[in-house]
Amino acid sequence: MIMKRICLISAFALLTTGFVGCKSIEKDVFIPEYQNTILMPRLTTWLDQPSFENAYGANSYAVRADNDLENPYGLVETPYGKGVHEVTEKTHLYVGDKRIQDAMNIFVTEVKTNISDPSTKRSGNIVIRIGDAYRKNNYLWSVFSGLTVGVLNACGMPMCSNTTELEVIVEIYDLRNNIVAKFNERGTSKQYMAAYYGYYEFERRAAALALEDGLMKIKELIERDAAVIKAKLR
């Protein structure tokens, strides 16, 4: 009850000290940078939706993609596990959490633009999953916000923060569904919600940047092993 009152006071204080200045997420956050110098042949992108739901504590409206017309219901079995969908830039996932759609968009863009060459003949599939995940909101800021009636927030103190750490798993398969490479890396990000400089959807931004951090490391490993991977995809 005490914590609830403090949060209510903090919310009111933020509204009166510039919370409206809290920014929305920039679109370029979801556009990964840095193209590998050695690109893979064209790879079809797949996303393990249940693994992302477990990572974010999210629920599905329906565990399928809108391009999965043959199996419109439930957790269907695929070569890469139940609920693992082939996805493209036109796919919409029926989930109750924007972070999962964000992850799909980031991964598809990353593969199509920075990892493989879409103009070449398709040579395999690439799958993304999330393993261990750590997500924590620091509400200690809210306590100080309530106790100071938003005065410190007006001076730049955050309202709260989110730290997200994800185990990003990427697997590459040939056209016969034989695995040719697997990479695991951890990505992290810490984002703030604050008057003037913070982000309203700070948890969403942290998730996107943590995923990009992990994918950046994996991209480097794919480039390092490019010759071996390309030979196995033939």
Side-chain angles (χ1 to χ4, degrees):
M1 181 62 71
I2 294 176
M3 188 64 186
K4 184 177 181 180
R5 289 179 180 176
I6 289 175
C7 289
L8 288 173
I9 294 172
S10 301
F12 175 77
L14 281 175
L15 287 172
T16 59
T17 57
F19 178 64
V20 292
C22 208
K23 298 180 289 186
S24 58
I25 305 175
E26 314 96 315
K27 290 183 179 180
D28 59 6
V29 167
F30 307 112
I31 304 176
E33 299 178 355
Y34 170 63
Q35 184 184 68
N36 281 359
T37 56
I38 304 174
L39 296 177
M40 295 291 104
R42 182 161 62 91
L43 300 169
T44 300
T45 45
W46 293 68
L47 180 135
D48 185 340
Q49 185 172 326
S51 73
F52 279 87
E53 291 176 350
N54 290 336
Y56 297 140
N59 295 314
S60 302
Y61 292 132
V63 187
R64 71 176 181 89
D66 58 4
N67 57 349
D68 188 6
L69 301 179
E70 294 182 0
N71 300 285
Y73 307 106
L75 285 164
V76 297
E77 187 68 54
T78 73
Y80 312 119
K82 289 185 177 181
V84 183
H85 306 292
E86 179 181 346
V87 292
T88 71
E89 61 273 12
K90 296 181 180 180
T91 301
H92 177 74
L93 299 175
Y94 288 80
V95 293
D97 194 310
K98 292 180 181 179
R99 290 173 293 184
I100 301 177
Q101 184 72 38
D102 292 342
M104 190 216 77
N105 294 337
I106 290 169
F107 181 59
V108 170
T109 301
E110 190 75 272
V111 173
K112 185 177 180 180
T113 306
N114 298 328
I115 294 177
S116 69
D117 183 351
S119 66
T120 60
K121 182 180 178 181
R122 175 174 170 260
S123 297
N125 302 301
I126 185 167
V127 182
I128 188 169
R129 311 179 194 271
I130 293 297
D132 295 334
Y134 171 82
R135 299 174 295 111
K136 184 177 181 180
N137 285 342
N138 184 354
Y139 291 109
L140 185 59
W141 299 110
S142 299
V143 176
F144 289 118
S145 298
L147 293 175
T148 61
V149 199
V151 173
L152 294 181
N153 299 110
C155 296
M157 188 186 78
M159 172 62 179
C160 53
S161 66
N162 173 270
T163 300
T164 296
E165 181 175 341
L166 304 173
E167 180 190 11
V168 183
I169 304 168
V170 171
E171 301 162 351
I172 299 176
Y173 295 82
D174 63 20
L175 293 175
R176 296 175 297 280
N177 294 322
N178 298 311
I179 191 166
V180 300
K182 181 176 181 179
F183 305 97
N184 294 58
E185 285 291 343
R186 302 199 73 84
T188 61
S189 179
K190 185 175 183 179
Q191 299 296 314
Y192 295 93
M193 182 175 74
Y196 310 120
Y197 70 89
Y199 293 87
Y200 176 66
E201 293 184 294
F202 64 109
E203 293 177 322
R204 182 183 176 192
R205 194 173 196 274
L209 292 177
L211 179 67
E212 289 184 19
D213 184 42
L215 281 174
M216 178 70 73
K217 299 170 185 175
I218 288 176
K219 235 178 356 180
E220 294 173 354
L221 297 178
I222 291 175
E223 185 169 44
R224 181 198 66 187
D225 298 341
V228 175
I229 296 171
K230 292 174 78 171
K232 290 182 178 181
L233 288 174
R234 291 172 184 166

